[in-house]
Amino acid sequence: MKSLKLLGLSTVVAITALTGCKPKGTETAVSGDAAQKVYVAPGKYDEFYNFVSGGFNGQVNVYGLPSGRLLKVLPVFSVNPENGYGYSEETKPMLETSHGFIPWDDQHHLSLSQTNAEVDGRWLFANANNTPRVARIDLKTFKTVEILELPNSAGNHSSPFLTENTEYVVAGTRFAVPMDDENGDVPIDSFKENFKGVLSFIGIDQQTGGMDLSFQIEAPGINFDLSHAGKKKSGDWFFFSCYNSEKANTLLEVNASQNDKDFIMAVNWKKAAELVKAGKGRKVVTEYAHNTWDESTHSATSTMKKEVVVLSVEDMKEAMFMIPCPKSPHGCDVDPTGEYIIGSGKLAALIPVFSFDKMIKAIADKNFAGEYDGVQVIKYEAALHGEVQKPGLGPLHTEFDGQGNAYTSMFVSSEVVKWNIKDLKVLDRQPTFYSVGHLMIPGGDSGKPFGKYLVAYNKITKDRYLPTGPELAQSAQLYDISGDKMKLLLDFPTFGEPHYAQALPGEMISKNQVKFFKIADNKHPYATKGEAESKVVREGNKVHVYMTSIRSHFAPDNIEGIRVGDEVYFHVTNLEQDWDVPHGFAIKGNQNAELLIMPGETCTLKWVPKKPGMYPMYCTDFCSALHQEMQGYVRVSPAGSNTPLIYSLNNKKDNAQSPVKEGETK
Amino acid sequence: MKTQSLNNLTRVLLIVCGIALIISIFVPLWSIYLEAPQYPEGLAMYLWASKITGEYEIINGLNHYIGMKTIHPEDFWEFTVLPYALGFFAALCLLAAFLNKKMWLYITAVLFMIFGVAFMVDFWLWEYDYGHNLDPNAAIVVPGMSYQPPLIGFKQLLNFGAYSYPNIGGGIMFGVALILAILAFIEFRKPKSA
């Protein structure tokens, strides 16, 4: 009996002890004043805009920091029924590619435009990973204003990274593929002969931000993962992390993890640009779409380009080098001084830090270990500043606080590790919840980080929020990094699977916001600049409705004489000249989407009625006390009927203001 | 004769008044501000001697709910007259200073007072017309409600708080009126004490 009691007691003690040993959760990781530090009182603004990649939803999400509040979702590579992006006639061309209309993509990385290696708040660049594209978002309007497709590429992963004065956006291909002017219909096991890894350099117009595919480099057929431009003294260089130096093409998880070292490729982009100017490189015939948004016509145009200049390894002899990097490097990050290049070997048990000065000296001294597919390989030790020992497991990405410290995300061990760049000592480590991928410090990849916060973007979210079925939101975690030790302040759910993010002080963008488009400057070919100009015009089986919207009615609000088989184009101009007064437009049975028309803008919705009847149309965005009254009817008659084409606004007999007008026929 | 002439200070102030009135032609005379929960940044309208500026187009858009007339600068005959009237009084001030006669000071002061009162009455009449002359078919009809903004000060009009204050030009007009009144008073008292 006694022994039984003893057994029972010891079991209780053991269980208590064991549960006490359970890893600590966030409850203990958050200190008392965390709530105060992230509380943004009503009427106050957040300190930073945080632009977060939408991952597989193809969008960009804008959050406020430190509150973690979602401010806006920007459609970039995906159609968006909320505002008709990709559905309206004006925005459809934005999603054109050489493969036709592609309404989705996988959006990974973001880059804010920079001047003198500092973020400047002009534009945000975004990549499409699947069908290689790079987009530019204008931060005055938060609209996607340009999308450029990339030829000779597949899996546009190491993109879009920018030089310190936004001279070039770079885009390295993740998948090696045969060149577009060569036959792609080849056996996959001819990988080593036929597959190339192409790096694209997109020139940026300094005034307009306009993108132009200036040149490409036909590099060896390895996988380019991530990249960053140098800055200041290393400003002429670009660094790309490469994996699969084995050039395997099957079961890569094993076969691409054989070599102890892969590479960081260093490219002197300035020299490359000079080589192109000097007439080097071959012209490759291909096809890629260049889509641009014109703010004065409120319309996009898509043009197909046919040619690109491609430099070969041979051309780049003096301007392209490989640095060995342990093992399968992922992140490739350059510190704010431009001296240190950090390669994160995601399968390595250390973090290699390279020195730019040493790299230049090694090149000058021809301190090479050999060649890889014609590219000189610098000796590892010759370029190495040092290694961070035992930093954690699975280092992926590194950001900087501008105080000489680096912060590396550890995917496998789920933590953020702070270390000193010069002496390579680990200073602090904090757990993440869980499996952190990218991390971000506002301005953390520029020459001037705002080292106050760090956000970790986590891939796994179990137990963070109320469950939502088998699929859970991803999470972002905000740390205060202003002290010696990182402090967890907040976590908040995010869309898609967030990858890289960017942030900058709110004021840099908020002061330049466009509040409405001036109606006088509207050069849309179907703009209606006043109710008196509204009309309905038939051209064969196409009917153009020149419509206006203003609180709280459409003009016209009644249309008759549409026939089954007609293509009806509603060109709706929002006549408002006031901030935050968009009007919506929707019609019953329409198979695409609705419109959300900004003040002073013209948008076009195409509608092909399938059967006769009465079709209500209405405003979808609550605009005023009389929003619900903002509606009208379209009467659709059978094909071939002779119902006269008429339209009107407010034509009630007892309250006549406007006569019923006859539609024009051209 | 000497008792009929003006103090040097009076003459200087008359010249200042004249110049100030010239300035008032080229700056806003009056401001009307509207504030509502959904317009946290406020809506402003500025009356000048010859035009209206500010966000009156937006105010027009809002006015249609309650059936107020829309504001159009071309509806105001005052805009063709006011710059000349202000110019005339500026010239009168300068003339009084130049002629150095008390009588001219009195004439200037009295005429300007009359002008000022007429200006305010005219302004009030416009406000009355806009605030009371409502479209019977308007969407929102509040029985007994009028929407006349205040001449000076604050008034709550449904969800809008309306503020009406003199701008630089209006301030000049008040200032000139006050200075002229004081000068006339002092000059009037002067011979008794002399």
Side-chain angles (χ1 to χ4, degrees):
Chain A
M1 272 312 271
K2 206 177 179 185
S3 61
L4 262 180
K5 264 188 190 170
L6 203 68
L7 188 72
L9 199 68
S10 56
T11 312
V12 170
V13 170
I15 287 171
T16 316
L18 278 175
T19 40
C21 289
K22 199 183 161 214
K24 282 174 186 165
T26 31
E27 304 86 44
T28 49
V30 181
S31 60
D33 62 347
Q36 262 179 358
K37 288 190 168 167
V38 300
Y39 182 66
V40 178
K44 299 270 189 241
Y45 290 156
D46 273 294
E47 212 178 327
F48 293 96
Y49 282 100
N50 185 196
F51 297 95
V52 183
S53 65
F56 33 69
N57 74 8
Q59 301 166 329
V60 171
N61 308 302
V62 190
Y63 294 87
L65 294 180
S67 73
R69 296 183 295 201
L70 177 68
L71 305 177
K72 192 151 179 71
V73 176
L74 311 174
V76 183
F77 299 108
S78 296
V79 291
N80 188 24
E82 176 186 299
N83 63 0
Y85 179 79
Y87 293 107
S88 71
E89 296 307 300
E90 291 84 358
T91 52
K92 277 179 186 171
M94 290 303 283
L95 299 176
E96 283 298 331
T97 74
S98 61
H99 306 274
F101 182 81
I102 299 191
W104 75 281
D105 217 298
D106 179 18
Q107 201 282 301
H108 274 220
H109 311 120
L110 297 168
S111 216
L112 282 166
S113 58
Q114 294 188 9
T115 306
N116 300 323
E118 292 175 22
V119 291
D120 57 27
R122 290 183 292 169
W123 308 300
L124 179 71
F125 294 86
N127 74 326
N129 195 27
N130 177 62
T131 303
R133 287 175 273 180
V134 168
R136 181 169 58 91
I137 297 154
D138 190 328
L139 294 177
K140 290 201 292 290
T141 54
F142 282 64
K143 278 192 175 192
T144 305
V145 291
E146 191 172 6
I147 293 182
L148 180 67
E149 191 186 359
L150 299 166
N152 298 313
S153 302
N156 175 36
H157 199 266
S158 58
S159 159
F161 294 94
L162 279 165
T163 55
E164 61 182 346
N165 284 304
T166 319
E167 295 99 336
Y168 286 97
V169 164
V170 80
T173 189
R174 166 177 161 191
F175 296 99
V177 283
M179 298 295 284
D180 287 353
D181 62 344
E182 282 159 14
N183 184 12
D185 179 17
V186 293
I188 294 172
D189 65 10
S190 69
F191 188 99
K192 286 180 175 134
E193 303 93 79
N194 291 323
F195 288 48
K196 299 289 175 202
V198 164
L199 309 172
S200 304
F201 286 79
I202 302 166
I204 308 292
D205 184 300
Q206 292 306 300
Q207 298 309 313
T208 64
M211 300 192 287
D212 175 58
L213 182 53
S214 306
F215 60 91
Q216 293 187 314
I217 297 169
E218 186 184 319
I222 42 181
N223 295 32
F224 291 98
D225 199 353
L226 283 157
S227 68
H228 259 104
K231 49 182 82 88
K232 296 164 187 174
K233 63 175 161 184
S234 57
D236 294 354
W237 291 78
F238 238 110
F239 305 95
F240 298 85
S241 58
C242 319
Y243 66 103
N244 194 17
S245 56
E246 297 86 349
K247 288 195 187 167
N249 60 59
T250 180
L251 195 61
L252 257 58
E253 62 171 309
V254 173
N255 294 330
S257 307
Q258 293 305 304
N259 291 348
D260 184 48
K261 294 219 170 41
D262 286 286
F263 300 110
I264 280 180
M265 181 183 255
V267 174
N268 188 321
W269 59 264
K270 219 162 216 177
K271 270 194 191 158
E274 281 162 16
L275 289 170
V276 171
K277 223 177 202 177
K280 295 274 182 191
R282 69 185 177 99
K283 291 207 165 96
V284 169
V285 176
T286 175
E287 231 184 14
Y288 59 101
H290 184 205
N291 311 327
T292 53
W293 180 258
D294 182 334
E295 200 176 280
S296 63
T297 60
H298 302 289
S299 306
T301 19
S302 179
T303 39
M304 207 56 80
K305 301 225 169 163
K306 302 284 183 197
E307 202 177 64
V308 61
V309 175
V310 180
L311 293 167
S312 66
V313 169
E314 195 58 37
D315 296 324
M316 292 292 292
K317 247 333 182 226
E318 305 295 313
M320 187 159 84
F321 302 91
M322 298 283 209
I323 309 170
C325 183
K327 172 169 188 179
S328 302
H330 191 58
C332 180
D333 300 286
V334 181
D335 88 310
T337 66
E339 163 64 9
Y340 300 107
I341 303 124
I342 288 120
S344 296
K346 62 180 186 275
L347 307 178
L350 52 82
I351 301 173
V353 179
F354 299 99
S355 152
F356 176 73
D357 289 341
K358 282 189 170 179
M359 179 194 95
I360 293 297
K361 187 166 183 300
I363 293 169
D365 297 348
K366 300 204 182 312
N367 208 346
F368 298 127
E371 274 191 8
Y372 180 88
D373 276 17
V375 184
Q376 297 279 11
V377 179
I378 297 168
K379 271 191 189 144
Y380 177 63
E381 291 76 15
L384 189 72
H385 163 64
E387 294 168 342
V388 185
Q389 296 299 331
K390 296 189 179 163
L393 284 177
L396 288 187
H397 303 279
T398 302
E399 289 270 291
F400 308 92
D401 63 4
Q403 312 291 319
N405 303 309
Y407 299 74
T408 303
S409 58
M410 298 290 168
F411 178 76
V412 178
S413 53
S414 279
E415 59 186 338
V416 176
V417 174
K418 175 182 178 179
W419 50 277
N420 183 284
I421 305 170
K422 278 229 167 82
D423 66 19
L424 307 171
K425 293 249 162 56
V426 172
L427 302 173
D428 188 24
R429 50 179 73 235
Q430 286 296 325
T432 59
F433 306 89
Y434 307 89
S435 298
V436 56
H438 280 273
L439 43 61
M440 186 277 316
I441 291 171
D445 67 341
S446 74
K448 190 191 158 199
F450 306 89
K452 186 172 179 184
Y453 300 113
L454 179 148
V455 185
Y457 302 94
N458 305 323
K459 309 288 183 196
I460 309 280
T461 330
K462 286 175 203 172
D463 89 3
R464 304 310 307 148
Y465 314 109
L466 283 174
T468 52
E471 194 203 6
L472 304 172
Q474 274 79 17
S475 89
Q477 287 188 318
L478 179 76
Y479 295 85
D480 177 352
I481 56 163
S482 56
D484 287 344
K485 300 284 174 192
M486 295 176 269
K487 276 193 214 156
L488 179 62
L489 298 179
L490 177 75
D491 66 2
F492 53 94
T494 60
F495 278 93
E497 189 210 337
H499 292 268
Y500 196 33
Q502 296 269 275
L504 79 176
E507 166 81 354
M508 289 180 82
I509 293 181
S510 63
K511 64 180 183 201
N512 296 324
Q513 291 304 284
V514 170
K515 296 184 173 174
F516 57 86
F517 299 103
K518 280 192 192 131
I519 195 103
D521 299 342
N522 182 332
K523 296 197 172 62
H524 190 290
Y526 291 96
T528 312
K529 296 187 184 184
E531 285 181 9
E533 291 178 24
S534 65
K535 60 185 173 182
V536 181
V537 179
R538 175 181 285 284
E539 291 167 12
N541 73 331
K542 290 191 171 72
V543 179
H544 293 278
V545 181
Y546 294 71
M547 185 179 264
T548 63
S549 65
I550 194 161
R551 283 164 289 177
S552 315
H553 60 267
F554 294 108
D557 63 1
N558 283 314
I559 301 168
E560 300 181 38
I562 305 294
R563 302 175 204 139
V564 170
D566 283 346
E567 285 177 14
V568 185
Y569 294 88
F570 293 98
H571 308 286
V572 188
T573 302
N574 181 347
L575 296 177
E576 306 281 354
Q577 294 288 276
D578 196 358
W579 195 15
D580 200 24
V581 194
H583 287 294
F585 177 82
I587 188 157
K588 182 185 170 185
N590 199 12
Q591 291 185 310
N592 42 36
E594 63 160 339
L595 297 175
L596 196 60
I597 312 131
M598 297 305 122
E601 194 184 33
T602 304
C603 295
T604 303
L605 192 68
K606 183 179 171 183
W607 176 53
V608 185
K610 294 282 193 301
K611 45 187 182 183
M614 198 56 77
Y615 290 82
M617 54 186 183
Y618 67 100
C619 171
T620 52
D621 188 4
F622 199 103
C623 58
S624 74
L626 298 167
H627 159 75
Q628 205 66 359
E629 284 76 4
M630 193 164 173
Q631 63 180 51
Y633 291 101
V634 181
R635 173 185 166 193
V636 177
S637 305
S641 58
N642 53 7
T643 315
L645 184 66
I646 56 170
Y647 61 96
S648 62
L649 168 70
N650 195 12
N651 61 328
K652 277 186 291 177
K653 279 196 189 97
D654 56 348
N655 188 17
Q657 289 194 3
S658 172
V660 177
K661 293 174 198 150
E662 251 178 69
E664 298 167 33
T665 305
K666 281 187 183 170
Chain B
M1 275 308 280
K2 199 163 192 300
T3 54
Q4 289 306 304
S5 63
L6 299 166
N7 277 342
N8 276 341
L9 181 64
T10 305
R11 295 179 70 189
V12 169
L13 284 172
L14 274 170
I15 290 168
V16 170
C17 286
I19 293 168
L21 284 176
I22 291 169
I23 291 170
S24 75
I25 300 171
F26 304 101
V27 293
L29 297 176
W30 219 267
S31 318
I32 293 180
Y33 298 104
L34 296 177
E35 231 180 52
Q38 69 271 37
Y39 282 94
E41 73 278 20
L43 294 169
M45 187 170 93
Y46 304 104
L47 295 168
W48 300 53
S50 57
K51 62 183 174 182
I52 302 178
T53 59
E55 287 141 324
Y56 67 91
E57 297 277 14
I58 294 175
I59 295 171
N60 282 345
L62 296 169
N63 284 353
H64 91 272
Y65 295 119
I66 50 171
M68 266 170 95
K69 278 195 290 187
T70 50
I71 300 161
H72 303 285
E74 58 273 20
D75 294 346
F76 296 85
W77 60 268
E78 287 87 344
F79 289 154
T80 52
V81 176
L82 259 178
Y84 296 103
L86 289 168
F88 168 76
F89 281 106
L92 210 55
C93 286
L94 297 175
L95 190 70
F98 175 73
L99 293 175
N100 198 11
K101 291 267 169 32
K102 278 187 178 180
M103 189 48 67
W104 280 97
L105 170 65
Y106 300 151
I107 289 171
T108 306
V110 170
L111 281 180
F112 192 71
M113 301 295 161
I114 294 169
F115 166 73
V117 170
F119 173 82
M120 300 295 279
V121 169
D122 180 63
F123 184 33
W124 186 85
L125 286 173
W126 273 110
E127 290 186 334
Y128 185 91
D129 181 43
Y130 272 90
H132 289 78
N133 204 350
L134 305 173
D135 181 351
N137 291 321
I140 299 174
V141 177
V142 181
M145 183 75 193
S146 70
Y147 301 94
Q148 183 176 355
L151 199 57
I152 297 183
F154 169 80
K155 198 170 159 193
Q156 189 72 31
L157 302 171
L158 293 188
N159 57 326
F160 276 92
Y163 299 80
S164 177
Y165 288 106
N167 204 308
I168 302 170
I172 288 175
M173 285 170 70
F174 274 110
V176 167
L178 191 67
I179 291 170
L180 288 178
I182 293 169
L183 290 180
F185 180 70
I186 290 170
E187 294 286 349
F188 184 70
R189 297 251 309 208
K190 200 169 62 177
K192 288 174 189 166
S193 56

